[in-house]
């Protein structure tokens, strides 16, 4: 079946049976539902105000170790393109070689993907990379909080009664080393 032929209501009902929360270290809790990987994780909560380009944002190494809150109200509607590369072996569609944020937070997720280049849904791509997503939360409220206080530690917790994972501050690690190539590459 084509990506656009998904029964969105059935997909939403299935997701609604798997609650998720964004828990901030400061005590705030934002309740929603899981899409993507069915795992809990922790990181630094940041936001992006990009209007399009979630595949590019999610593969941007600058988001390594972070829980990315996307402020655009609908995410997932055009799916995710394939892993095609150019003659130099560089991705045609992505900024990096993998998804760098540890989790994704969106207001509304579209289970139906419709774009000529889409080969999979955003949820499927996140599952492939073991990255959880949460939808159904007020991303504007989270963004206002982050703009006022600055980034904070948080966790995306999937499932009822799941304990919060240990807080993980990516700023205590050498992120440049983690996301950089280990040997130089020449392109001629």
């Amino acid at each position: 079946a084509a990506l656009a032929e998904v029964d969105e209501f059935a997909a939403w009902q299935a997701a609604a049976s798997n609650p998720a929360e964004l828990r901030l270290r400061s005590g705030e809790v934002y309740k929603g539902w899981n899409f993507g990987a069915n795992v809990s994780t922790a990181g630094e909560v940041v936001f992006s105000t990009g209007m399009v380009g979630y595949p590019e944002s999610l593969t941007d190494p600058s988001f390594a170790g972070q829980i990315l809150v996307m402020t655009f109200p609908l995410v997932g509607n055009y799916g995710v393109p394939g892993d095609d590369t150019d003659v130099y072996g560089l991705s045609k569609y992505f900024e990096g070689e993998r998804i760098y944020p540890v989790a994704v937070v969106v207001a509304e997720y579209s289970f139906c993907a419709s774009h000529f280049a889409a080969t999979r849904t955003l949820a499927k791509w996140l599952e492939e990379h073991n990255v959880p997503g949460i939808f159904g939360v007020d991303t504007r409220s989270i963004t206002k909080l982050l703009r006022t206080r600055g980034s904070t530690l948080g966790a995306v917790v999937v499932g009822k009664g799941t304990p919060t994972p240990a807080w993980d501050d990516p700023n205590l690690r050498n992120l440049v080393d983690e996301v950089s190539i280990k040997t130089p590459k020449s392109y001629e």
Side-chain angles (χ1 to χ4, degrees), residues 105-170:
V105 180
V106 301
E108 186 174 344
Y109 174 69
S110 174
F111 293 92
C112 179
S114 182
H115 190 274
F116 74 94
T119 62
R120 59 207 153 183
T121 64
L122 176 57
K124 181 67 175 165
W125 189 43
L126 292 174
E127 285 175 27
E128 291 169 2
H129 290 267
N130 204 36
V131 174
I134 179 175
F135 74 97
V137 299
D138 185 354
T139 56
R140 293 180 312 156
S141 173
I142 299 166
T143 301
K144 284 181 171 181
L145 184 140
L146 294 174
R147 280 194 172 157
T148 303
R149 296 188 198 163
S151 62
T152 187
L153 296 183
V156 169
V157 181
V158 178
K160 292 179 183 176
T162 305
T164 303
W167 302 115
D168 182 21
D169 187 347

Side-chain angles (χ1 to χ4, degrees), residues 13-36:
Q13 281 185 311
S17 69
N18 196 18
E21 295 177 347
L22 172 64
R23 299 177 186 168
L24 303 185
R25 188 175 190 180
S26 52
E28 293 83 0
V29 176
Y30 298 88
K31 296 176 184 279
W33 300 276
N34 173 247
F35 72 101

Side-chain angles (χ1 to χ4, degrees), residues 29-112:
V29 176
Y30 298 88
K31 296 176 184 279
W33 300 276
N34 173 247
F35 72 101
N38 190 18
V39 297
S40 298
T41 190
E44 178 185 32
V45 183
V46 298
F47 67 90
S48 170
T49 58
M51 304 249 324
V52 295
Y54 55 84
E56 292 83 0
S57 293
L58 292 173
T59 56
D60 182 340
S62 70
F63 290 119
Q66 297 176 323
I67 296 171
L68 182 58
V69 177
M70 297 186 164
T71 61
F72 194 71
L74 177 64
V75 176
N77 55 316
Y78 59 87
V80 178
D83 296 318
D84 303 341
T85 57
D86 64 16
V87 295
Y88 299 105
L90 300 172
S91 174
K92 287 185 177 182
Y93 305 110
F94 306 129
E95 299 300 309
E97 295 180 355
R98 63 179 177 87
I99 296 176
Y100 288 93
V102 297
V104 182
V105 180
V106 301
E108 186 174 344
Y109 174 69
S110 174
F111 293 92
C112 179

